[in-house]
């Protein structure tokens, strides 16, 4: 565990009665990095965040945040973190701006500084138009963004964001990503949980996949993809030619899926440079005409499925029932 890590956990265990929410979790996030925590429902993500933000005590193990032990120095930790949890903590009878200024002042900012930061965050999170309306009239997505602004009002060195973009429309999600990147650009270290694999792919420097209270895989998005998934080749022929499978065989791994009309072939491939060219040449040598060739790199969806045996919440990929196996 590097001494410079801003978030570090070693052997965290948490039990609720007979439920083991965390079964020995290690994490390490260097300064200025984003760790994306992925995992199916009930994997232990929120429990880990609660321990790291001093809201819950581990039964075993230890954790340090911004250099302070969460168990022995909780006040020091709290002073250095921002937290956007899944349950909102906003005052319904204040406006968005008043909420932010109040939180800033309660945390020790001068009023003028709290106002300045509130205006900046409201603008960055695209809430300027609603800033002076009571929060009780805010939509779910607006509340979520205001919660994020609240977590950032102190410009904390460490941010914990539990599913920061759940329920946001695509444009708002992109806006939130920009704000998070901006915080990291200013030196902030971020741990975020997400159900959206593309979010982890775009934002996170490293990913930890949780399942059943353990980290079952970790690494950069690229490392996880290359370790877990193989690329897929998809070829569309001008006309059905059964011998195409034989011609392509040296490039392929495992089964070849052939569509019912016999024109589309799909298979896992050993990734190599010039793969599409090699596929076209092999088919050309066999006198087979090709309409389309595509090489799909593995996605985090493939990784998640391979690791947990479950599809991520946002995975809309459906099996294609019309296909047979050659
Ligand atoms: P989700 O994606 O649904 O938020 P998660 O990965 O955050 O899931 P946790 O909320 O950490 O998962 O829950 C891990 C396990 O611990 C689950 O089985 C959950 O039911 C259990 N658990 C969490 N908090 C409590 C609690 N306060 N009392 C009892 N069981 C709990």
């Amino acid at each position: 565990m590097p001494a410079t890590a801003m978030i570090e956990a070693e052997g965290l265990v948490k039990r609720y009665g007979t439920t083991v929410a965390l079964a020995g979790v290690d994490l390490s996030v260097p300064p200025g990095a984003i760790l994306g925590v992925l995992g199916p429902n009930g994997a232990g993500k929120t429990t880990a965040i609660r321990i790291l933000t001093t809201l819950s005590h581990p039964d075993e193990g230890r954790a340090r945040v911004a250099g302070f032990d969460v168990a022995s120095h909780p006040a020091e930790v709290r002073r250095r973190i921002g937290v956007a949890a899944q349950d909102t903590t906003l005052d319904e009878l204040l406006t968005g701006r008043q909420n932010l200024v109040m939180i800033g002042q309660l945390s020790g900012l001068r009023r003028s500084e709290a106002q300045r930061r509130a205006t900046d965050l409201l603008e960055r999170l695209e809430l300027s138009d609603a800033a002076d309306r009571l929060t009780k009239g805010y939509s779910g997505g607006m509340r979520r963004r205001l919660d994020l602004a609240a977590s950032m009002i102190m410009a904390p060195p460490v941010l914990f964001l539990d599913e920061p973009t759940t329920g946001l429309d695509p444009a708002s999600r992109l806006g939130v990503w920009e704000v998070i990147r901006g915080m990291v650009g200013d030196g902030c270290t971020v741990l975020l949980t997400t159900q959206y694999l593309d979010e982890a792919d775009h934002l996170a420097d490293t990913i930890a996949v949780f399942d059943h209270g353990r980290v079952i895989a970790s690494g950069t998005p690229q490392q996880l993809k290359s370790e877990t998934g193989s690329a897929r080749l998809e070829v569309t022929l001008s006309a059905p030619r059964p011998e195409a499978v034989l011609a392509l065989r040296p490039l392929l791994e495992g089964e070849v899926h052939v569509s019912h009309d016999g024109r589309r072939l799909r298979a896992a491939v050993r990734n190599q440079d010039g793969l599409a060219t090699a596929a076209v040449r092999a088919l050309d040598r066999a006198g087979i005409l090709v309409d389309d060739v595509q090489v799909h790199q593995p996605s985090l969806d493939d990784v998640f499925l391979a690791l947990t045996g479950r599809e991520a919440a946002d995975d809309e990929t459906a099996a294609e029932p019309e296909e047979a196996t050659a």
Side-chain angles (χ1 to χ4, degrees), residues 9 25 59 94-95 146 221 240 286 299:
V25 162
D59 295 316
L94 295 180
T95 67
L146 190 61
S299 69

Side-chain angles (χ1 to χ4, degrees), residues 16 19 21 40-47 86 163 195:
Y16 293 103
T19 303
N41 292 135
K45 306 179 295 291
T46 302
T47 303
Q86 289 188 37
E163 299 194 13
Q195 305 240 0

